[in-house]
Amino acid sequence: MALHDVTRNAVHVLPEGDLARKLAKGKPLRIKLGIDVTSPHIHVGRAIPLQRMAAFQREGHIGVLIIGDYTTRIGDPSGRSSERPILTDDEIDANARTYVEQAFQIIDRERTEVHYNGEWLKELDFAAIVRLTRTITVSRLLERDDFTKRLAEQAPISVSELLYPLMQAYDSVAVKADVELGGTDQLYNLLAGREVQTAYGLEPQVCLTTPLLLGTDGRKMSSSYGNYIGLTESPEEQFGKTMRISDEALPEYYRLVMEADDWREATAPGAGEPMDVKLRLARFVVARSHGDGSAARAEAHFTRVVREGRAPEDVPEVQLPPGESVHLPALLVEALGIASSSEARRLITQGGVKLDGQVLSGLDQPRAELVGKVLQAGKRRFARLSS
């Protein structure tokens, strides 16, 4: 097999030479990827390591997908200046149920083992946890960049955060991983897995990292930032979000998401307007999740609503509440899915709310003047109001 196929776009493949040595044995390798369930969506940035798992599977290897239902209860401190907020058990369980099917948009269902790391982590008694903590020193744990910065700033670091890389490393022991995949922000955790595997008498894994993708706002794509493109979002939402990517980020999206060998040519000056290049990317993102037909419909929707400023052909109907007047922020939250009343007020103040194309400015509107008209919030949210 061509080593390039499985290591495409990799930043680290460590230790050097170990992957080629493992592959030379001619037996299927166990390729591990763990994902914490911090939101309902796997986004296109998180899918990049999944794409590497799929490449290994095409060469006959076994994908081992670990849903981090248990590690999510602690929270990964990678890249954080403070401890992550903890989700409730119900939130974690709800998110976990969605992740497997999302991952199968990218990886081969038939060549994948799926595990929840609660299977083994919740079975560790206190003696087993103490044994695990003996595999790495405190000074080694504090070498992490995020911990080093927080120590220098005298910011708190909880013991639970120190345990996180040990828990992730124990996942590699439990599934006997030969290779572990992750973003570059996971390199420390992946290397810790090697140390812990060795302490438990296993051959240590190869660590393969991939670049982090920028989100729609130019920061690292993250569920926490809300700047992501989710694999199961609607075709229209995926298309619209992809079109908001900066022109400067396009080469990285072509290289990492599309894995296009011709990304330099496709994004070079003179190869087409940035809009045309971005449309091609948006079609790919939607088609991968929803199929070519949905991609074509999403593009038509984007052209009509965003580029031409018209209402979509199919506008959902929403019944107005009773009364002579309607509180517009509440209506935006309930009918158009705006996140909060404060966000709705901000949209109104900035002229982002329209009725049949005319800007609305008042917080309270006469009900009779709303009936039968199309309410619009921002560029992509519409509802036809009925009595």
Side-chain angles (χ1 to χ4, degrees):
M1 64 173 287
L3 190 62
H4 170 73
D5 292 339
V6 295
T7 61
R8 178 194 291 267
N9 298 323
V11 178
H12 305 99
V13 183
L14 299 173
E16 187 174 347
D18 266 25
L19 179 57
R21 179 179 59 78
K22 285 178 180 283
L23 291 171
K25 294 179 181 180
K27 66 173 186 176
L29 300 181
R30 296 176 61 77
I31 313 300
K32 171 198 170 190
L33 174 65
I35 307 179
D36 280 355
V37 288
T38 51
S39 85
H41 297 291
I42 296 178
H43 56 63
V44 296
R46 277 184 170 178
I48 292 169
L50 284 169
Q51 292 169 215
R52 299 279 47 77
M53 179 180 282
F56 274 103
Q57 290 176 316
R58 289 192 291 271
E59 299 295 335
H61 302 288
I62 300 165
V64 183
L65 179 65
I66 297 177
I67 305 299
D69 61 326
Y70 216 74
T71 41
T72 301
R73 287 169 166 81
I74 286 184
D76 184 0
S78 298
R80 305 290 290 191
S81 58
S82 61
E83 191 169 5
R84 289 180 183 268
I86 302 301
L87 302 180
T88 67
D89 287 352
D90 286 345
E91 288 173 323
I92 290 170
D93 292 341
N95 292 346
R97 285 193 293 269
T98 72
Y99 270 40
V100 176
E101 289 305 314
Q102 292 182 63
F104 287 147
Q105 290 187 21
I106 309 294
I107 59 179
D108 184 344
R109 186 187 299 264
E110 300 302 319
R111 299 198 63 82
T112 302
E113 293 179 14
V114 177
H115 297 278
Y116 293 78
N117 60 14
E119 295 171 22
W120 47 82
L121 291 176
K122 70 180 179 183
E123 299 300 323
L124 296 179
D125 60 19
F126 194 71
I129 293 171
V130 170
R131 182 195 174 191
L132 178 58
T133 63
R134 288 175 178 157
T135 61
I136 297 181
T137 65
V138 172
S139 59
R140 177 78 175 86
L141 289 171
L142 293 177
E143 290 175 6
R144 293 176 60 120
D145 288 343
D146 33 56
F147 288 163
T148 301
K149 292 175 183 175
R150 284 159 67 179
L151 279 174
E153 296 167 356
Q154 297 185 330
I157 302 172
S158 70
V159 174
S160 67
E161 291 181 281
L162 294 177
L163 289 175
Y164 184 91
L166 290 173
M167 294 171 69
Q168 182 170 323
Y170 192 78
D171 292 348
S172 293
V173 173
V175 301
K176 297 181 173 60
D178 294 303
V179 178
E180 183 170 9
L181 310 173
T184 51
D185 60 342
Q186 293 295 307
L187 179 60
Y188 179 93
N189 292 337
L190 272 57
L191 291 171
R194 288 178 52 81
E195 295 187 44
V196 174
Q197 281 182 308
T198 300
Y200 281 83
L202 299 176
E203 181 180 342
Q205 64 193 14
V206 171
C207 306
L208 190 156
T209 69
T210 54
L212 302 179
L213 195 65
L214 295 180
T216 54
D217 62 358
R219 293 182 293 174
K220 179 186 82 169
M221 186 173 289
S222 167
S223 301
S224 303
Y225 296 151
N227 63 353
Y228 61 88
I229 304 167
L231 293 184
T232 54
E233 291 187 286
S234 71
E236 292 78 16
E237 195 72 12
Q238 286 183 335
F239 203 97
K241 285 185 174 183
T242 304
M243 295 303 294
R244 294 208 303 269
I245 295 165
S246 70
D247 295 348
E248 292 75 19
L250 276 173
E252 281 293 272
Y253 273 78
Y254 263 69
R255 184 171 70 92
L256 299 175
V257 178
M258 295 180 69
E259 295 188 354
D261 290 326
D262 64 341
W263 67 270
R264 291 181 181 83
E265 178 181 345
T267 59
E273 294 296 324
M275 176 66 76
D276 297 330
V277 176
K278 206 173 291 186
L279 284 168
R280 179 181 167 194
L281 173 65
R283 293 184 202 112
F284 173 86
V285 169
V286 177
R288 183 173 67 175
S289 293
H290 301 286
D292 292 336
S294 292
R297 288 189 292 273
E299 182 173 3
H301 175 90
F302 178 82
T303 299
R304 178 184 179 92
V305 174
V306 178
R307 301 182 74 177
E308 298 176 357
R310 296 187 291 156
E313 292 182 347
D314 297 320
V315 179
E317 186 170 301
V318 170
Q319 188 171 15
L320 289 166
E324 293 186 1
S325 75
V326 174
H327 188 57
L328 192 54
L331 180 63
L332 292 172
V333 172
E334 295 170 11
L336 274 79
I338 301 302
S340 65
S341 293
S342 59
E343 173 67 11
R345 289 189 183 92
R346 184 188 65 79
L347 269 174
I348 295 167
T349 301
Q350 294 178 350
V353 178
K354 298 177 181 179
L355 188 70
D356 278 357
Q358 300 299 311
V359 174
L360 290 179
S361 57
L363 297 183
D364 294 290
Q365 298 290 328
R367 186 177 188 277
E369 295 182 8
L370 301 178
V371 174
K373 296 181 179 178
V374 174
L375 181 67
Q376 176 183 353
K379 291 184 176 180
R380 294 191 304 278
R381 297 176 189 265
F382 295 85
R384 187 174 298 281
L385 305 176
S386 64
S387 59

